[in-house]
Amino acid sequence: MSFIGHAASPDSLRKYRVLAFKGFIQNLQYTASHLVNSVASAIFGVLEVYFWLNVIPPQGFADYAPLTMVHYITINQAFVWFTQFGIRVRTRVRDAVRSGNVATELMRPIDFYAYHLATEYGSLLYGLLFRGVPVALMLSTLGFYIPKHPATWGWALFALLLGGYIAAANMYMVGLTAFWTTEIRTPYWVMSSLSLGFGGATFPLEVLPDRLYRLARWSPFACLNYNPARIYLELSGPELVLPGLVWAVIVTVIAQALTKIARRNLEVQGG
Amino acid sequence: MSRGSFRRLIGLIRLYALLISAAVRAKMQYKFDFVTSTLLESLMGAYDYMVALAALWRFHTVAGWNIYEVGLLYSVSKIGWGLYRTFLEEVDRFEGYIVRGDYDSILVRPYPSLFVLASRNFALERLSFVIQGAAVMVISLKGLLASGVLSLASVFHLLLAIVWTTLLFSAVGIATSAAAFVIVRIEELQVFTQNATSTASLYPLEIYPAWLRNMLLYVIPLGVGNYIPVRYLLGKGGTWLNLAVPAVVALLSIMLAVWLWRLGETRYHSTGS
Amino acid sequence: MTTGPKDLAVYARNLCKAYFVPVLKSGFLGGVRTLLSQEKRRVDAVNDVSFDIRPGEFVGYIGPNGAGKSTTVKMLTGILHPTSGEVLVDGLSPQRQRQDLARRIGVVFGQRTQLWWDLPTIDSFDILSAMYDVSASQYRSFLKKFDDLLGIGEFLDTPVRRLSLGQRMRAELAAALIHRPSILFLDEPTIGLDVVAKRRMREFLAAVNASREVTVLLTTHDLKDIEELCRRVMIVNHGSLIYDGTLESLRREVHLPTVLEVKYYGLPEGLGAGSFIGPGGEVSAAPPRDAWQIASVNADSRSVRVLFDRSQTPAPAVIAAMQALGEIRDVSLEEPAIDDIIRRILEAK
């Protein structure tokens, strides 16, 4: 049985839309604390802005003028929940494995990977709207870039959606390691450090030493924040969605393969 | 100090030692968990420093501070934070006591409630921050002592600055947790009063706009613990008062925080039937 | 000789505890609107409660869940601050002199442990003896005495988390008495225990109070605890004290009916709910003197339920009357539930 084929039939696609919608709706109740959280998130944005403005030379560096640097940080602070801090799928998968619910979840007529990703994606979209937008509004007092070409909005959003997908798939795999180890903190630490350090969430990757920069910009992590931000700021063209597309396919294949191994592992152990 | 109160103090210290040794023994029942979390946290906590390192590697200074000088600020703040978490971990996790109603059993003991609360844990795993901060401090001191910017006497003042910073973090932590007596959920508040401010205090305050700088000096005065003395020690301005003021502010802050705690305690409403 | 408030074990006057809870908003952005709105609702957890407890008394404090029992105990032990009213425990203010008072009282919360969960039980006793400055010789005699009374010796080396509930409650009780408090507060100490463990706990509590050196205030919703231990009972409902007196006078005042269920081999003829049975087994429709009302008749199980007042009639007399009607297969007695008692008290007023 192919998992990918299973997930792609039109009827089951509707299921995942419903799951994503549920994930979105569930978050609506927590608006008060989200508001407080957004203010805190904006303050972290302010800290970053002033740090970088004082670090970079007055004429800027690479293709980042000081104002562009401000724009880079403010837009990423709006994105960062979506591609970094908002992702909870690892704990959901881990808890399912630990509690043993995973046995029934794997037997459901619904793809395990797609089920978790869809639920996660819904709540991430909520975060983008109700955390990202307020943060962007608050930080706009420091400077906020509005793209010149209307099409840029679409390309940047597309790149961002791919970034959120890749990030969620990565963390899904972290959660899946619970099948083999009791503690997923080590893989989580490795994954979140790479995502944050090579993702360009708090600074442009050009800041890194040159060799690291070349490595980072072609890694899947650059698709989380760096690529969408460059497209949004019109520093790069729409072709920068391509790495995201390629990596989205690659992480899907790897995640599905890992799920298959995990499932076999479970069957051998007899559930 | 009278003989009686001296005896009482000795008794209190011995009891504290007994209580935290019990807490550590209980923790060692889960050794593996302890080792991994300590290791991971010392690495994870270094992220901010890595970013500063990368930035200053490329651009050399921030507002005229080089990586060793920033490292000094950073390490005083990190070590202070680590010591606060090690000693007052249960104060930091106080929300849970209110939510579960566990604070009841603290209040039936014949000692000050903050003492009973703090003595329930000695968070060795939080020493990870101290280890990491100490490593950065050693690197920075090596660089600065070699270039003659710092003397050995200033090392002593740095150690004092760590003490004041620890007290300031404790004051902020206690005051924030005291809010839980009234509003119960304080996790989001802690992000403001502790995480945002401690991150801000890792860098020289002159990079920030006035409102933020004033907040870190006068409202949540974490900047007073590291920035004020370190600035003077590095010859970037100020007088000997820069070494005295932190002590005064730290002690006053602790007194204010304990007062707020006591005030909050009268508003405690325990859960349960 | 007059006794002032300071000579009493507990002195409570017009004790009130009110909470203000925010009125929750629903609908769009409900959470934010709740946060911003100043609208509060007042909840009176304890409302104008006054009582005295003399040294050496054993008082039962009963009421339904949420009636204000625990809130009262928490005000007496210094955990909660009263909204208004006066309280002294052993002559001290629980709020202003909390730490001093803590040395003179022992507290057991049935649902919450005060022991060190992951460590052997003996460690908790060691720590507590240091915390309360118990001398080494006193501590040794404590361990000996409580091994005799409660059998704590059998699990001293077991970590608290592995104790059975019965063992843990014995340990909690011993821990609360290690510093020889003059007043013991027990909040639901028998909750969740099996019959044997409950009986053991009650025997022990009776022994603690036997020499009248320890005053005990026991909250419970198990009437059996009250019956076997307390000479005096206080009943609280919706935050107000609705009864304070001896158990016997409670029985007299509210005519607490005890239910006797009798199962017959063959159900006697002519019995119906509402009719009365006299001492000789005579059945009548109107209530004569010395007769007991039939509550229900169940034809399937061939059983009859009769109400009678234990303060007036011994149970064997009722059983004898029922025996006159037919051959009895089985009898059982049911004590009134707390809710029944409260309903009766409120009706009587």
Side-chain angles (χ1 to χ4, degrees), chain B residues 49 70-72 74-75 131-141:
Chain B
Y49 185 66
V70 171
L72 224 48
Y74 177 96
S75 55
I131 296 167
Q132 177 222 324
V136 173
M137 182 168 270
V138 168
I139 296 168
S140 301
L141 280 178

PDB file of all heavy atoms in Angstrom, chain B residues 49 70-72 74-75 131-141:
ATOM      1  N   TYR B  49      24.822  33.731  22.184  1.00  0.00           N
ATOM      2  CA  TYR B  49      26.241  34.052  22.092  1.00  0.00           C
ATOM      3  C   TYR B  49      26.772  33.730  20.698  1.00  0.00           C
ATOM      4  O   TYR B  49      27.574  34.477  20.147  1.00  0.00           O
ATOM      5  CB  TYR B  49      27.017  33.278  23.157  1.00  0.00           C
ATOM      6  CG  TYR B  49      28.473  33.652  23.200  1.00  0.00           C
ATOM      7  CD1 TYR B  49      28.863  34.932  23.596  1.00  0.00           C
ATOM      8  CD2 TYR B  49      29.450  32.749  22.819  1.00  0.00           C
ATOM      9  CE1 TYR B  49      30.193  35.300  23.624  1.00  0.00           C
ATOM     10  CE2 TYR B  49      30.797  33.106  22.841  1.00  0.00           C
ATOM     11  CZ  TYR B  49      31.158  34.384  23.248  1.00  0.00           C
ATOM     12  OH  TYR B  49      32.485  34.737  23.266  1.00  0.00           O
ATOM     13  N   VAL B  70      31.554  42.511  24.916  1.00  0.00           N
ATOM     14  CA  VAL B  70      30.170  42.029  24.921  1.00  0.00           C
ATOM     15  C   VAL B  70      30.093  40.718  25.709  1.00  0.00           C
ATOM     16  O   VAL B  70      29.154  40.487  26.479  1.00  0.00           O
ATOM     17  CB  VAL B  70      29.628  41.836  23.485  1.00  0.00           C
ATOM     18  CG1 VAL B  70      28.282  41.147  23.494  1.00  0.00           C
ATOM     19  CG2 VAL B  70      29.535  43.174  22.778  1.00  0.00           C
ATOM     20  N   GLY B  71      31.134  39.881  25.540  1.00  0.00           N
ATOM     21  CA  GLY B  71      31.181  38.607  26.248  1.00  0.00           C
ATOM     22  C   GLY B  71      31.128  38.778  27.758  1.00  0.00           C
ATOM     23  O   GLY B  71      30.516  37.979  28.474  1.00  0.00           O
ATOM     24  N   LEU B  72      31.755  39.837  28.225  1.00  0.00           N
ATOM     25  CA  LEU B  72      31.749  40.114  29.659  1.00  0.00           C
ATOM     26  C   LEU B  72      30.328  40.432  30.147  1.00  0.00           C
ATOM     27  O   LEU B  72      29.864  39.888  31.164  1.00  0.00           O
ATOM     28  CB  LEU B  72      32.674  41.309  29.937  1.00  0.00           C
ATOM     29  CG  LEU B  72      33.610  41.207  31.130  1.00  0.00           C
ATOM     30  CD1 LEU B  72      34.343  39.893  31.151  1.00  0.00           C
ATOM     31  CD2 LEU B  72      34.582  42.383  31.113  1.00  0.00           C
ATOM     32  N   TYR B  74      27.620  39.653  28.642  1.00  0.00           N
ATOM     33  CA  TYR B  74      26.851  38.435  28.419  1.00  0.00           C
ATOM     34  C   TYR B  74      27.052  37.446  29.563  1.00  0.00           C
ATOM     35  O   TYR B  74      26.094  36.894  30.098  1.00  0.00           O
ATOM     36  CB  TYR B  74      27.315  37.828  27.088  1.00  0.00           C
ATOM     37  CG  TYR B  74      26.662  36.519  26.737  1.00  0.00           C
ATOM     38  CD1 TYR B  74      25.550  36.485  25.902  1.00  0.00           C
ATOM     39  CD2 TYR B  74      27.149  35.309  27.230  1.00  0.00           C
ATOM     40  CE1 TYR B  74      24.954  35.291  25.567  1.00  0.00           C
ATOM     41  CE2 TYR B  74      26.562  34.117  26.909  1.00  0.00           C
ATOM     42  CZ  TYR B  74      25.463  34.106  26.076  1.00  0.00           C
ATOM     43  OH  TYR B  74      24.864  32.921  25.753  1.00  0.00           O
ATOM     44  N   SER B  75      28.316  37.250  29.949  1.00  0.00           N
ATOM     45  CA  SER B  75      28.581  36.201  30.933  1.00  0.00           C
ATOM     46  C   SER B  75      28.058  36.584  32.318  1.00  0.00           C
ATOM     47  O   SER B  75      27.532  35.740  33.034  1.00  0.00           O
ATOM     48  CB  SER B  75      30.074  35.882  30.978  1.00  0.00           C
ATOM     49  OG  SER B  75      30.814  37.054  31.232  1.00  0.00           O
ATOM     50  N   ILE B 131      27.733  27.303  33.748  1.00  0.00           N
ATOM     51  CA  ILE B 131      28.889  26.711  33.060  1.00  0.00           C
ATOM     52  C   ILE B 131      29.152  27.444  31.749  1.00  0.00           C
ATOM     53  O   ILE B 131      30.261  27.870  31.448  1.00  0.00           O
ATOM     54  CB  ILE B 131      28.631  25.213  32.764  1.00  0.00           C
ATOM     55  CG1 ILE B 131      28.498  24.441  34.086  1.00  0.00           C
ATOM     56  CG2 ILE B 131      29.726  24.628  31.888  1.00  0.00           C
ATOM     57  CD1 ILE B 131      27.939  23.054  33.916  1.00  0.00           C
ATOM     58  N   GLN B 132      28.049  27.645  31.011  1.00  0.00           N
ATOM     59  CA  GLN B 132      28.168  28.280  29.708  1.00  0.00           C
ATOM     60  C   GLN B 132      28.624  29.735  29.862  1.00  0.00           C
ATOM     61  O   GLN B 132      29.511  30.191  29.137  1.00  0.00           O
ATOM     62  CB  GLN B 132      26.799  28.182  29.043  1.00  0.00           C
ATOM     63  CG  GLN B 132      26.695  28.827  27.723  1.00  0.00           C
ATOM     64  CD  GLN B 132      25.383  29.555  27.630  1.00  0.00           C
ATOM     65  OE1 GLN B 132      24.369  29.092  28.160  1.00  0.00           O
ATOM     66  NE2 GLN B 132      25.388  30.676  26.956  1.00  0.00           N
ATOM     67  N   GLY B 133      28.043  30.443  30.830  1.00  0.00           N
ATOM     68  CA  GLY B 133      28.438  31.831  31.073  1.00  0.00           C
ATOM     69  C   GLY B 133      29.891  31.914  31.524  1.00  0.00           C
ATOM     70  O   GLY B 133      30.645  32.786  31.087  1.00  0.00           O
ATOM     71  N   ALA B 134      30.294  30.951  32.380  1.00  0.00           N
ATOM     72  CA  ALA B 134      31.660  30.963  32.887  1.00  0.00           C
ATOM     73  C   ALA B 134      32.645  30.738  31.745  1.00  0.00           C
ATOM     74  O   ALA B 134      33.708  31.366  31.693  1.00  0.00           O
ATOM     75  CB  ALA B 134      31.833  29.898  33.962  1.00  0.00           C
ATOM     76  N   ALA B 135      32.281  29.867  30.816  1.00  0.00           N
ATOM     77  CA  ALA B 135      33.159  29.606  29.670  1.00  0.00           C
ATOM     78  C   ALA B 135      33.359  30.891  28.869  1.00  0.00           C
ATOM     79  O   ALA B 135      34.480  31.259  28.507  1.00  0.00           O
ATOM     80  CB  ALA B 135      32.562  28.508  28.792  1.00  0.00           C
ATOM     81  N   VAL B 136      32.252  31.608  28.611  1.00  0.00           N
ATOM     82  CA  VAL B 136      32.346  32.863  27.863  1.00  0.00           C
ATOM     83  C   VAL B 136      33.173  33.875  28.645  1.00  0.00           C
ATOM     84  O   VAL B 136      34.009  34.595  28.083  1.00  0.00           O
ATOM     85  CB  VAL B 136      30.940  33.425  27.567  1.00  0.00           C
ATOM     86  CG1 VAL B 136      31.041  34.811  26.946  1.00  0.00           C
ATOM     87  CG2 VAL B 136      30.172  32.484  26.655  1.00  0.00           C
ATOM     88  N   MET B 137      33.000  33.880  29.976  1.00  0.00           N
ATOM     89  CA  MET B 137      33.745  34.840  30.790  1.00  0.00           C
ATOM     90  C   MET B 137      35.247  34.563  30.733  1.00  0.00           C
ATOM     91  O   MET B 137      36.052  35.493  30.600  1.00  0.00           O
ATOM     92  CB  MET B 137      33.258  34.805  32.241  1.00  0.00           C
ATOM     93  CG  MET B 137      33.975  35.817  33.117  1.00  0.00           C
ATOM     94  SD  MET B 137      33.204  36.030  34.731  1.00  0.00           S
ATOM     95  CE  MET B 137      32.061  37.346  34.408  1.00  0.00           C
ATOM     96  N   VAL B 138      35.615  33.305  30.801  1.00  0.00           N
ATOM     97  CA  VAL B 138      37.036  32.950  30.749  1.00  0.00           C
ATOM     98  C   VAL B 138      37.635  33.405  29.419  1.00  0.00           C
ATOM     99  O   VAL B 138      38.693  34.047  29.380  1.00  0.00           O
ATOM    100  CB  VAL B 138      37.234  31.432  30.964  1.00  0.00           C
ATOM    101  CG1 VAL B 138      38.655  31.023  30.616  1.00  0.00           C
ATOM    102  CG2 VAL B 138      36.897  31.063  32.398  1.00  0.00           C
ATOM    103  N   ILE B 139      36.941  33.127  28.327  1.00  0.00           N
ATOM    104  CA  ILE B 139      37.424  33.539  27.003  1.00  0.00           C
ATOM    105  C   ILE B 139      37.597  35.060  26.960  1.00  0.00           C
ATOM    106  O   ILE B 139      38.623  35.579  26.526  1.00  0.00           O
ATOM    107  CB  ILE B 139      36.437  33.096  25.900  1.00  0.00           C
ATOM    108  CG1 ILE B 139      36.373  31.566  25.841  1.00  0.00           C
ATOM    109  CG2 ILE B 139      36.849  33.676  24.546  1.00  0.00           C
ATOM    110  CD1 ILE B 139      35.222  31.046  24.998  1.00  0.00           C
ATOM    111  N   SER B 140      36.575  35.784  27.454  1.00  0.00           N
ATOM    112  CA  SER B 140      36.598  37.246  27.399  1.00  0.00           C
ATOM    113  C   SER B 140      37.721  37.802  28.275  1.00  0.00           C
ATOM    114  O   SER B 140      38.458  38.704  27.870  1.00  0.00           O
ATOM    115  CB  SER B 140      35.265  37.814  27.864  1.00  0.00           C
ATOM    116  OG  SER B 140      34.226  37.323  27.048  1.00  0.00           O
ATOM    117  N   LEU B 141      37.835  37.240  29.498  1.00  0.00           N
ATOM    118  CA  LEU B 141      38.856  37.745  30.421  1.00  0.00           C
ATOM    119  C   LEU B 141      40.253  37.550  29.849  1.00  0.00           C
ATOM    120  O   LEU B 141      41.116  38.414  29.951  1.00  0.00           O
ATOM    121  CB  LEU B 141      38.739  37.041  31.770  1.00  0.00           C
ATOM    122  CG  LEU B 141      37.652  37.562  32.710  1.00  0.00           C
ATOM    123  CD1 LEU B 141      37.612  36.747  33.982  1.00  0.00           C
ATOM    124  CD2 LEU B 141      37.891  39.041  33.028  1.00  0.00           C
TER     125      LEU B 141
END
